[in-house]
């Protein structure tokens, strides 16, 4: 359905968040975001401060951007619950005359 899920850091040591942050994943994530940003017609959903920090690299003229706190147990109650990211994505897709996603 055209959904890509991507963490800013793709590997970690068990129970150690961001333990592989300095192994090149941030550069990889940045390049993926830049490449997708140039395509247009995409909805980016940025969850949490790490993801939201990449917002400045997204071409917001042709891309829809939705942000909220991360859905992890550590921050879900700080604004993720009730943020309705999936219905917001579908609203953006419909605005672009695209089919909504069956989440």
């Amino acid at each position: 359905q055209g959904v890509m899920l991507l963490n800013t850091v793709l590997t970690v040591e068990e129970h150690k968040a961001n333990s592989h942050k300095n192994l090149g994943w941030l550069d990889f994530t940045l390049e993926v975001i830049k490449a997708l940003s140039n395509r247009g017609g995409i909805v980016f959903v940025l969850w949490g401060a790490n993801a939201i920090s990449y917002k400045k690299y997204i071409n917001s003229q042709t891309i829809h951007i939705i942000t909220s706190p991360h859905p992890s147990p550590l921050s879900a109650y700080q604004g993720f619950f009730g943020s309705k990211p999936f219905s917001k994505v579908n609203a953006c897709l419909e605005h672009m005359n695209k089919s909504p996603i069956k989440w």
Side-chain angles (χ1 to χ4, degrees), residues 49-65:
N50 287 344
I52 292 169
S53 73
Y54 285 86
K55 184 176 179 179
K56 62 187 169 205
Y57 300 107
I58 299 171
N59 180 354
S60 60
Q61 305 238 344
T62 61
I63 303 283
H64 292 268
I65 303 170

Side-chain angles (χ1 to χ4, degrees), residues 60-75:
S60 60
Q61 305 238 344
T62 61
I63 303 283
H64 292 268
I65 303 170
I66 298 167
T67 62
S68 80
H70 195 278
S72 78
L74 299 175
S75 58

